[in-house]
Amino acid sequence: MIVVGYTPDQFGGAALEHGVAEAQLRGTSLLVINTSKGDSLADQSFADNAHLQELEGKLAASGVDHEVRQIVGDETVDVILEAMTAPSAELLVIGIRDRTPVGKLLMGSTAQRLLLSCRKPVLAVKPE
């Protein structure tokens, strides 16, 4: 199984694209995870219903066996790392963005924490 940390933006789109390609290449399934802490009324990293329908359409068209999980209230890093403990989890795919060192220090970096903490291979991608 390929696990994709997904956000409804260009970074999540790049992760999804590469995750689908890896699942097709390896002949395995895809788990797409989208999370929100739930502490904001308008969390831009959380996909709305229209976006989820579009996502499901793309995944269905890819022909890859898939599951989409939306989780509210838990820390993104913890949710994704938990999914990666499954014996079938082979690869984590995440989208990354350029951030200044100060930005990482002040805001934290989910991608950085995943790269350093995941015990299995991680593919970090950027949009074209």
Side-chain angles (χ1 to χ4, degrees):
M1 165 177 68
I2 306 299
V3 178
V4 174
Y6 182 75
T7 54
D9 56 20
Q10 62 184 346
F11 307 101
L16 182 68
E17 179 183 324
H18 287 275
V20 167
E22 285 292 330
Q24 290 170 332
L25 181 68
R26 297 169 187 237
T28 192
S29 62
L30 187 69
L31 171 59
V32 179
I33 299 176
N34 178 240
T35 66
S36 173
K37 285 186 185 180
D39 56 0
S40 172
L41 294 176
D43 185 350
Q44 293 186 3
S45 66
F46 199 64
D48 62 21
N49 287 336
H51 197 92
L52 286 176
Q53 288 178 343
E54 181 183 332
L55 175 63
E56 283 288 349
K58 287 179 184 178
L59 291 169
S62 75
V64 171
D65 183 31
H66 65 276
E67 176 185 352
V68 176
R69 290 185 195 162
Q70 259 198 324
I71 300 167
V72 177
D74 293 329
E75 183 70 37
T76 299
V77 172
D78 296 337
V79 170
I80 292 174
L81 291 177
E82 175 66 27
M84 290 303 296
T85 64
S88 61
E90 301 174 43
L91 175 70
L92 171 60
V93 183
I94 57 173
I96 58 171
R97 65 188 77 213
D98 291 326
R99 294 183 54 193
T100 66
V102 172
K104 289 178 190 173
L105 178 66
L106 295 176
M107 302 289 286
S109 172
T110 300
Q112 183 176 5
R113 290 173 49 208
L114 287 168
L115 285 166
L116 295 173
S117 300
C118 188
R119 301 281 184 232
K120 294 184 181 177
V122 179
L123 175 60
V125 298
K126 291 183 179 182
E128 290 184 26

